[in-house]
Amino acid sequence: MSAETSVPRPRESDVDISDSALFKGMLSEAEFAFAFFDAAGHVQLVNDVFTEVVGVPAERLVGRAPAETLTADLSQLITHAVQAVTESDSPVTESRVRVRSSEGETRHWSLSFSPVHDDAGELRAIALIGLDVTESRQIEEDLRRSEERYRSLVEAQSQLVWITSPTGTVVEDAPQWRAITGQGLEEYLALGWLEAVHPEERQQTEEAWKEALRGRTMFEWNYRVRTRASGYRHFEVRAVPIIRHGRVVEWVGANTDVTPQREAEEMRGRLTDQLGAAALRTARLQGATAQLAEALTVEQVVQVIIDVGRTALAADRSAVALLDPDRAALKLINGEGVPEASDTLGEEIPLSSSSVMTMAVNSRRPVFAESPDRLKSQLLEAGGDEQVLTNYLTHSDERAWVGLPLLAAGRALGALRFSFTRPQKISQEDGVFLEALAGQCALAVERATLFEREHRTAETLQRSLLPDRLPVVKGLVLAQRFRSGSRHVQVGGDWYDAFVLQDGRVAAVVGDVMGKGVKAAAGMGRIRNAMRALALTNPPPAAVLTGLDRVFDATEEEEQVTTLAYMVVEPVTGEGTLALAGHPPPVLVSPQGTAVLGDVEPGTPLGWPTSRRQFRFVVPPGHTAVLYSDGLVENRKRGLDAGLAELCSVVTEAPPEVVSSPHMLLDFLVDRMLSGYEQDDDVTALAIHVPPATKSD
C-alpha cells in the first residue's frame, strides 16, 4: 500500500499499516489534526487534535459520515474534498476552514486531503491532515494593515492640498507648497503660484486653469515647479469645484509630486531605447554573420560588406581593401580610390599615405571621424597633406568616416571604409558593434581567400588530368562538354575520357569522384590513369570495373565514393557493351529526337564488393549516346529521378539540326538542364554519335 502523505500508514478498519502501535504513538504526539476516510466518506480513524478541532469525541466520529456529527460548513467542506479525491485520485490541498474552540476562540486551519493506495494501486482511503494557521493568518493581517497605513502616509506626504475662491484666487495658505517653492505668503496669495511653474509651461497651465474655472469642470494638469533649490520637480494637479445650491463656493485641489515616477519612466524609456538598439545591433550582426558564412569568394564577401554597410550602418559609401604585404600597400577591391589621400587615385593605396583605411591597418585599431574637423586633425597628425585634405573636404559631400582593420589572429588582412554624408555620432556601443563586424568580415575574407586559392589549384589540376582532345575515328563522332563548378562552388572530381583500343573499338568513360577540392581532383587522376591501363590490357567493361575495384581498395580511402559509366563501341555499326558502377544510365537519342534511358543495372560504386556485369548497348546509325555526370540532372532543388525525366523531355524539344549534331546537342542539353538552377556541381557530358549510313559506305 502506498500513500501520498508524509505519515506512516494506519492499520485500522480497511486501512493497513505495518506498525499500528508506532502509528498511534505518532498520531497522539502530533500537533496536526489527522483523520482517515473510506471511499464512501465515512470516518475510519482520527487523532486527538482532530477531535479537539471539531469538538466531537472519536467514538462518535468513527464509522459515520461527516454530515452526521460535524457542523454544516465543516462537514460540507470535508465531504466535497473526499469526493474530489475519490473521483480524481489526486490530492486536494490548502482548503481553509475557520472553527471556534471550546474556549470560544476562533482558529484558522488549513486542510489537505490525499489518496491512499494499497500495493495493487487501488484507492483504499483518503487521509486528512490539518495545520493550525491562526498565527500566520494574524501575521498576514497585521502586515496588510501595516502596508495600508504606510501607503496612506506616503500618499498624504506626497500631496499638497490647496483651496481657492470661486474665481480661482488663493485665499488660504499652503505651507507645504511654500516649503517646496520657497515662496513667501504674500508672493503665494492670489495667482502667485504661477510664478513657480516652469516658464515653458506657465502660459498653457494658466489657460487650462481659467478654462476649468469658466466651465466649472475638473482641472487636471501636469507641470514642472521650481523648488527652493532652483531645480524643478514634476507635479500632477487635480482640482474640483465645490458646488452648493448650484453655485461654486470654492475649489479644492491637490498637487502630487510625481518626479520619481517621471524619472523612472524616463529611465525606463532610455533603457528600452538602449536595449532596443542593442537588440537591433545584435540582429544586424547575426544577419551579417549569416550572410558572410554563405559567401565563398572574396567578391561575394565584398558584396555582403557593402550591403551591410548600406543596411546596418546606413552608410552612403563603402570600400574594401586587402593588404599586399610584399608591396606594403592596400589593394582596393571596390570603389574609385580613397579621396582623402593625395596619392591613391587608383586601386593601390600605399601604407605610407594618410587615409582612414591606412590608419586603421597601421594602428590595428578602428578609426572614427565623426566630423570633417575630426577627420582633418587625425589625418594631419598621421602626416597627411593639409592642402589636399582641405580641397577634399571642400568639394566632398562626406561628413563622417569609419575605418576598420581586418584582423585575423592579429594579422592584418586589409581594411573597411564606411562614409556618411552627414555627421555621425559613434557611441561606445556602436564601436563594439563595428569591431565585431570587422572581426566577422576578416574571418570571411580569410576563408574566401583560402577557398579561391584551393579552387584555382584544384581546377588547374582537374583540367590538366582531362584529355586535351578526343580521338578522331572514322564511323564515329565524339563530343564532350565539361563545365566546372562556378567560382562560387568548389571543384569536384568529374572526368571523362575516350581512346581507341587495340582492336579499333573506342572506349568512352564518364566518372565522378565524390568530394570537392584538390583531394577529389587527385582521386580523379588516379582512377582515370588506372582505367586507361586496365582498358588497354583487358577491354571488356566488366573486367575493367573488376580491376578498378581492386585498385580502389588498394589506393583510396574507405569513405571515398566513385561512380562511372564505361562503354566500348564499334565504329560504323554502333555495336557496344556497357557497364555501370553506381552511375546514372546513358541516354540514347534517335534521329527523330526521342530519348530512351539505358535499361541496365546501375551497379554499385567502385570498391564495393560485387560481381560486375556488362550489357549490350547499341548506338544505331544516326543515333547518339550521351554519357554524363549527375551534375547535369541532379542539384539541391531537383532529385535524380526528376532530373532524368527532365533530361528525356528536354531532348524532345531539340530542333532537328541540333539532334543530328553531337556538339550542338550537348550545348543544348547542358544549357537547358542548368537553366533556372544554381550550378552546385561539375557538369560533364560525353556524346558518342554514329553517323547514318551512306551509299558510299
Side-chain angles (χ1 to χ4, degrees), residues 162 205 219-223 235-239 253-256:
W162 48 268
T205 300
F219 174 62
E220 292 183 291
W221 205 250
N222 296 276
Y223 50 67
F235 280 85
E236 287 183 354
V237 58
R238 175 176 293 183
N255 284 21
T256 304

Side-chain angles (χ1 to χ4, degrees), residues 587-596 619 622-626 651 659 665 669:
V587 60
L588 184 64
V589 181
S590 71
Q592 293 76 32
T594 58
V596 178
V619 185
H623 288 63
T624 304
V626 179
V651 169
V659 173
L665 178 62
L669 293 179

Side-chain angles (χ1 to χ4, degrees), residues 611-627:
S611 177
R612 296 297 179 182
R613 298 181 60 190
Q614 63 186 31
F615 304 88
R616 181 172 178 266
F617 189 88
V618 180
V619 185
H623 288 63
T624 304
V626 179
L627 306 178

Side-chain angles (χ1 to χ4, degrees), residues 384-595:
D385 188 309
E386 182 173 8
Q387 183 177 356
V388 171
L389 287 173
T390 301
N391 182 65
Y392 157 66
L393 294 174
T394 301
H395 297 90
S396 175
D397 61 347
E398 296 179 335
R399 288 296 175 265
W401 300 260
V402 171
L404 301 172
L406 296 176
L407 304 176
R411 179 172 56 90
L413 302 179
L416 308 180
R417 179 185 187 272
F418 300 109
S419 60
F420 308 83
T421 58
R422 61 202 178 282
Q424 189 80 3
K425 180 66 176 177
I426 306 297
S427 66
Q428 183 177 358
E429 293 78 9
D430 292 333
V432 172
F433 165 73
L434 290 170
E435 289 191 61
L437 175 62
Q440 293 298 320
C441 293
L443 293 176
V445 167
E446 184 178 41
R447 183 179 64 251
T449 302
L450 293 175
F451 169 80
E452 289 189 342
R453 186 181 305 150
E454 180 183 353
H455 187 280
R456 288 192 297 270
T457 302
E459 188 172 23
T460 301
L461 175 61
Q462 184 182 35
R463 290 191 178 277
S464 68
L465 295 174
L466 297 176
D468 295 332
R469 58 183 179 274
L470 297 176
V472 178
V473 180
K474 184 178 180 181
L476 207 64
V477 179
L478 301 175
Q480 60 80 20
R481 290 296 180 271
F482 175 78
R483 183 177 293 186
S484 173
S486 67
R487 292 187 62 227
H488 311 319
V489 180
Q490 287 187 319
V491 172
D494 280 19
W495 58 284
Y496 66 90
D497 201 0
F499 48 91
V500 180
L501 300 174
Q502 294 180 354
D503 57 5
R505 292 182 299 165
V506 174
V509 60
V510 168
D512 186 0
V513 179
M514 304 301 178
K516 303 292 181 184
V518 175
K519 185 176 180 180
M524 176 265 286
R526 290 191 296 270
I527 298 300
R528 173 183 177 272
N529 293 335
M531 172 80 199
R532 275 209 172 205
L534 290 169
L536 292 173
T537 303
N538 189 13
V544 171
L545 293 190
T546 301
L548 283 177
D549 284 334
R550 292 194 294 268
V551 172
F552 195 92
D553 288 338
T555 62
E556 305 304 313
E557 298 178 358
E558 290 184 2
E559 63 272 14
Q560 178 63 59
V561 178
T562 298
T563 68
L564 61 81
Y566 173 47
M567 184 170 69
V568 176
V569 62
E570 182 79 32
V572 181
T573 65
E575 289 286 337
T577 308
L578 171 70
L580 300 179
H583 205 79
V587 60
L588 184 64
V589 181
S590 71
Q592 293 76 32
T594 58

Side-chain angles (χ1 to χ4, degrees), residues 299-321:
E299 179 183 346
Q300 287 181 320
V301 171
V302 170
Q303 186 58 52
V304 170
I305 293 174
I306 294 173
D307 293 341
V308 170
R310 181 176 59 253
T311 56
L313 304 180
D316 297 290
R317 298 184 183 91
S318 305
V320 183

